[in-house]
Amino acid sequence: MKKTVMVIGYGNDLRSDDGIGQRIANEIASWHLPSVESVAVHQLTPDLVNSLAGTDLAIFVDACLPVDNFDVQVQSLAPACDMDTNVHTGNPRSLLALTEAIYGNCPQAWWVTIPGVNFEVGDRFSRTAESGGAIALVKIVQILDKVKNFWVENRAVA
């Protein structure tokens, strides 16, 4: 089986910093990495489940309001215990839970959140989102590198 990664950048690209997830996904797509599919979407919807079921690793990228600090956060994700009640949109955990419910498995997943300060109507990113986006790209490359090394090591053993 070919090892695959799916990067899903989401957010409203007409609401300034909220679009940073899509920008990151588009940047990664422009790299044309083998075995990496990168999609930019307005919101997480159930139609992504089929693609998620066929991947080994999912990386979700989104903007967030800073809570304690202005750091880019990276956290591992597990499927939610309960499904999101909104059938049209969801969050990464509920999407993973839906994938698991339908297909019996879901990929390992990470959630990269980038702090934003301007969510007004517009198409320009704040300095906070711009610098967070650059840091997020580095962190995503680190995740991909770790996965690549894992795959190379396991292929050598097999």
Side-chain angles (χ1 to χ4, degrees), residues 49 53 78-80 83 94-107:
V49 167
M83 302 299 284
S94 63
L95 203 58
L96 292 171
L98 183 59
T99 304
E100 189 170 65
I102 294 172
Y103 292 96
N105 70 314
C106 69

Side-chain angles (χ1 to χ4, degrees), residues 127-158:
R127 288 184 184 175
T128 300
E130 285 280 359
S131 62
I135 293 166
L137 283 170
V138 170
K139 290 181 180 274
I140 291 168
V141 167
Q142 289 170 343
I143 293 169
L144 294 174
D145 189 49
K146 286 179 185 177
V147 171
K148 177 184 171 193
N149 288 337
F150 173 78
W151 290 338
V152 170
E153 290 168 10
N154 285 313
R155 191 174 301 138
V157 173

